[in-house]
Amino acid sequence: MERVVLVTGASGGVGLALCRRLLEEDGRIHLCVACRNAPKAEAARDAILEAHPAAQVSTVEVDLGSLASVLRAARELRCRFQRLDFVYLNAGIMPNPHVNFKALWKGLLTGKLLHMLTTAEGVMTQTDRLNGDGLQEVFATNLFGHFILIRQLESLLCGNEKPSRLIWTSSSNARESAFSLSDYQHAKGQESYSSSKYATDLTSVVLNRRLNKQGLYSSVVCPGLVMSNMTYRILPVFLWTLLMPIMWLIRFFAKTYTLTPFNGAEAHVWLFKQKPEYLDALAKYHSCTSGLGKNYVEPRKMDVDEETAEKFYQKLLELEEQALERYSDLLD
């Protein structure tokens, strides 16, 4: 039987490029594209079929920032599929990003500018808000919605003849300094994106501990700096136009400046071809592009404390129990 691959956040950017690249690797897969609303899902499907007209591509509507939407999508997927071989947890948001130009200037003077440009450390802040479920929007969309989704899909992911895979899109911006167990939704800070991505890294570590024996493996990737709709919102368009030649030049020194969604999907596609039992559960797999445009993957050890990861996972389970009490009508 063909392998079934689910990709969240597939309407554009890395997600859409990933879908196209996966079909180039294996045109026999059944690809299910998950998008926030039906028109976006259909538009993504049409774009994929334009390049791969013989492909098996279906859609599912899921807004990761809405628990009701996640539960409805999970129920639909359980009805449609007997198993899932790959789930790419790629959807994410970065609302109201702001650049700290004073910090950039300080980085230039202290010789830390390249590090700041490749990690956004000390440079990027966001303004978060509560969603309709009373959760911080970035935490809910980037992590918790995905967590609930895979928890609801465990029957399709565990105990299959061949291992199933979870592949999370994280970031080089995932930093321990932005995360706190006492404020894991990041209600009090201004680096909600960084916090949510560090929480993603922690979650992946624990999932491997708990579910490898049931045939489910989790990996984390970083697509690098990709020019996408999310990125373009950070600065006015005319500034990006002025900066692009400089960014292409920076790529000779910063290999994580992948710049295009196609390049950014390199690690995602590389993992599609690997045997999960040979991968390092504590590594993040980075998409990299050389100055001359060659794509490759570089694994790097994640800066995660496994005890903190376990404590955080327990908090996720507690939050899940509280959240699902409101939606008992959507549970089997």
Side-chain angles (χ1 to χ4, degrees):
M1 294 178 63
E2 73 277 357
R3 290 182 290 180
V4 182
V5 181
L6 173 68
V7 180
T8 71
S11 62
V14 171
L16 184 58
L18 169 62
C19 291
R20 290 168 169 155
R21 292 193 61 178
L22 289 174
L23 286 168
E24 290 171 6
E25 293 293 332
D26 183 359
R28 299 168 298 175
I29 63 173
H30 183 115
L31 181 64
C32 183
V33 294
C35 302
R36 190 167 45 201
N37 57 55
K40 284 192 172 186
E42 288 302 321
R45 182 177 184 271
D46 291 344
I48 294 164
L49 289 175
E50 185 177 352
H52 302 276
Q56 299 181 74
V57 184
S58 60
T59 66
V60 64
E61 181 180 345
V62 57
D63 178 356
L64 274 303
S66 164
L67 290 176
S69 177
V70 171
L71 292 172
R72 282 193 292 267
R75 186 164 62 184
E76 182 178 343
L77 290 166
R78 289 195 303 270
C79 290
R80 284 161 52 180
F81 299 112
Q82 294 181 333
R83 71 172 196 281
L84 289 171
D85 297 280
F86 286 83
V87 178
Y88 284 92
L89 304 159
N90 172 71
I93 59 170
M94 184 195 292
N96 305 308
H98 301 284
V99 177
N100 187 334
F101 289 101
K102 183 177 179 181
L104 275 176
W105 177 248
K106 184 177 180 180
L108 178 63
L109 296 177
T110 58
K112 297 179 180 179
L113 182 62
L114 185 60
H115 172 77
M116 295 171 74
L117 288 175
T118 53
T119 64
E121 183 174 346
V123 177
M124 289 296 303
T125 61
Q126 303 90 44
T127 304
D128 203 357
R129 63 181 182 180
L130 293 177
N131 68 4
D133 294 308
L135 304 171
Q136 292 298 134
E137 186 177 38
V138 175
F139 165 81
T141 305
N142 293 4
L143 175 71
F144 193 59
H146 280 131
F147 175 75
I148 295 296
L149 182 66
I150 60 177
R151 289 277 293 169
Q152 291 292 309
L153 295 176
E154 280 190 12
S155 61
L156 305 185
L157 292 164
C158 297
N160 296 322
E161 183 179 347
K162 293 183 178 180
S164 293
R165 310 281 300 279
L166 303 175
I167 299 174
W168 302 78
T169 299
S170 182
S171 171
S172 59
N173 191 233
R175 299 194 320 279
E176 183 180 13
S177 60
F179 177 83
S180 168
L181 273 177
S182 61
D183 182 28
Y184 60 85
Q185 292 193 44
H186 205 75
K188 300 176 183 177
Q190 291 187 302
E191 295 182 275
S192 53
Y193 182 81
S194 177
S195 175
S196 72
K197 294 303 181 181
Y198 187 78
T200 293
D201 297 351
L202 295 174
T203 303
S204 181
V205 168
V206 181
L207 286 170
N208 279 312
R209 276 187 182 180
R210 292 175 175 241
L211 297 175
N212 280 179
K213 290 182 179 179
Q214 298 179 50
L216 179 60
Y217 291 80
S218 181
S219 300
V220 181
V221 303
C222 172
L225 178 64
V226 176
M227 302 310 298
S228 65
N229 289 337
M230 182 185 294
T231 316
Y232 281 120
R233 285 197 295 269
I234 297 172
L235 294 171
V237 174
F238 79 92
L239 275 181
W240 282 123
T241 303
L242 295 174
L243 288 172
M244 281 309 295
I246 299 172
M247 294 178 69
W248 284 95
L249 180 62
I250 290 175
R251 196 164 74 178
F252 281 93
F253 309 96
K255 52 198 171 186
T256 55
Y257 268 49
T258 51
L259 299 184
T260 71
F262 180 95
N263 295 344
E266 185 70 19
H268 300 74
V269 177
W270 184 83
L271 285 168
F272 181 72
K273 299 181 284 187
Q274 308 306 310
K275 292 185 176 180
E277 54 268 31
Y278 298 127
L279 296 170
D280 185 349
L282 296 177
K284 183 180 296 184
Y285 294 88
H286 291 251
S287 295
C288 299
T289 305
S290 71
L292 297 176
K294 181 181 179 181
N295 292 329
Y296 61 100
V297 176
E298 181 176 280
R300 302 180 192 173
K301 283 286 185 180
M302 290 190 288
D303 180 23
V304 294
D305 177 77
E306 295 185 60
E307 184 178 346
T308 301
E310 191 64 46
K311 290 179 180 178
F312 174 59
Y313 195 87
Q314 289 298 327
K315 289 182 178 291
L316 287 180
L317 293 177
E318 292 168 8
L319 184 61
E320 175 192 36
E321 184 177 1
Q322 297 168 18
L324 294 187
E325 287 180 0
R326 297 176 54 187
Y327 296 105
S328 57
D329 58 315
L330 295 175
L331 301 175
D332 293 336

